[in-house]
Every structure is written in structure tokens, then in C-alpha cells.
Amino acid sequence: MSTADEPASPATAGADRTVRQESGNSPTDGGEAGPETGREAIIRAARRAFTLKPYAEVTMRGIAAAAGVSPSLIVKRFGSKEALFNTVVDFRPAAAELFAAPLPDLGRHLVLTMVDLRDRLRGDPLLRVVFSLGIEDERTLLRARFREQITDRLTDVLTGPDARLRAELVAGQLLGLGATLSLHRPDGATAHTTAERLAELYAPGIQHLVDGGAARA
């Protein structure tokens, strides 16, 4: 279990500078403009840190610097690095928004919501399950949470045959969309395309999986 007084390694410090530059934050004692702003900044910085570095190399001090808050504020709000990690590997908030649509409209809703979440979170809500650099136990936990909170949840709401298979393929489509949007920023065509146009092109394939192949043009 880690504390706010952990020393930052040179590699961690470099990564922290990158995150801080991307987020536009600088360390402060208070660390926030409002109660939710500070919490979201901490979670965003922690999500990136735990994705880019093994758990043992992530420090509370480094996360605080990236989030623009004091280390003591993170300890006050989350208690420990372990508790913060458990918050970061929770996909339920994203799932609640992603699956908040009736099945006939789910494909389009998933694409629009993914784009919106990426903008609001300043990062992809799902891709960390693929690119996490943690040790085996951490990756196993992350993937188990993803299966439980994303794939299993979708499986439960799909109707028709092969619900589990279709849910896994839908999850793969969402991960593929996130990877594409990340790979081709900031100058790719996807970066200059509206969310509505992305949904028009990408959602039919997802909707076909949601419908179980029953829908025909």
C-alpha cells in the first residue's frame, strides 16, 4: 500500500510531465476549481498512469502532479493507491452511459456515447483494458472487471442466439473504434469527422451484432 510520500522515479517523472502537459494542469495545494473537477482530474491522471506504467511504478505524488492537486488531497479522497486503482478499474460508470438505450437504437447510441465519453474524459473509457502494462495479477483484475461490467452486462440484455458471442464482438467493435480514434489523432479523417457521421458509418455493423443478424436492409 502506498502513501503520498512515495518518491517518483525518473521514468515516472517524465511520464507525469507528459500527462500534466496534456491535461493543462499544474500542481497546487488546493488543486481544483470545484469538488467534481478535482476528483475527475485525479481519476483521469490515475487512469493514464496505471495504463502506461506497472502498478509498482505509479506513485501518488506523480498522479498528484499530473492532476494538478496536492498528494494529501488524493489521500484524503481515496485513502491509498490501492483504493485509487480500484476506482480506475471500475468500468460501471462508462457502462451505465454506453448501454442506456433500447436495443433497436443501441448501435448508434454506442458510437455517439463513445465519442462523447472520450471528449469528456479526455481519453478512452475502455482501451486501458488492452494497453495496461501492469503485472499479470493487475491485468487479470482489469480484464475480469471488463468482462463482468461490460461484456457480461451486454450479454444479459441481448436477446436471441449467441448472446455472449455477440456481446464480445460488440465490445471488440467499441475497442476498435477507440483505437482508431486514438491512432489517427489529431490530423486523421476521424479527428475531423462529426460524431453523427461516425455513427452513420460505424453503427450499422454494431447494430447488426446487437440484432443477432436478424435485421436486414
Side-chain angles (χ1 to χ4, degrees):
M1 186 170 294
S2 303
T3 68
D5 294 325
E6 296 173 278
S9 68
T12 300
D16 292 336
R17 284 195 296 273
T18 300
V19 176
R20 189 161 61 249
Q21 290 167 358
E22 290 184 357
S23 64
N25 294 327
S26 58
T28 64
D29 291 335
E32 65 216 294
E36 285 306 306
T37 302
R39 186 177 189 278
E40 291 169 0
I42 291 167
I43 292 175
R44 183 167 58 249
R47 181 182 294 119
R48 182 173 178 85
F50 286 122
T51 298
L52 295 180
K53 297 187 289 291
Y55 179 90
E57 296 181 13
V58 176
T59 67
M60 297 282 264
R61 189 179 299 279
I63 292 172
V69 303
S70 64
S72 61
L73 181 64
I74 301 182
V75 174
K76 178 181 178 181
R77 291 201 164 178
F78 296 93
S80 67
K81 187 171 81 168
E82 181 182 2
L84 182 55
F85 176 76
N86 284 328
T87 299
V88 167
V89 299
D90 187 359
F91 294 96
R92 287 175 297 183
E97 295 192 50
L98 285 168
F99 303 137
L103 290 180
D105 305 318
L106 188 57
R108 181 175 182 276
H109 174 81
L110 286 171
V111 174
L112 294 177
T113 304
M114 275 288 291
V115 174
D116 180 61
L117 284 172
R118 287 174 58 88
D119 289 342
R120 284 192 280 122
L121 299 176
R122 301 182 193 176
D124 193 277
L126 304 180
L127 275 180
R128 60 190 182 277
V129 74
V130 177
F131 296 111
S132 173
L133 296 180
I135 62 174
E136 186 60 32
D137 286 347
E138 296 151 21
R139 291 197 303 269
T140 298
L141 172 62
L142 190 63
R143 291 170 186 177
R145 291 281 180 87
F146 185 89
R147 287 193 299 269
E148 173 190 346
Q149 297 169 359
I150 299 294
T151 311
D152 290 352
R153 179 167 176 172
L154 181 55
T155 301
D156 289 341
V157 301
L158 292 180
T159 60
D162 302 316
R164 176 73 187 190
L165 172 61
R166 288 154 50 212
E168 291 181 2
L169 292 173
V170 168
Q173 293 275 24
L174 294 176
L175 291 171
L177 175 61
T180 298
L181 294 174
S182 295
L183 284 170
H184 296 288
R185 66 179 184 185
D187 299 321
T190 52
H192 301 286
T193 302
T194 66
E196 290 288 343
R197 180 57 176 159
L198 288 174
E200 180 183 342
L201 293 171
Y202 202 81
I206 297 179
Q207 190 63 49
H208 185 73
L209 293 170
V210 170
D211 295 334
R216 293 289 185 268

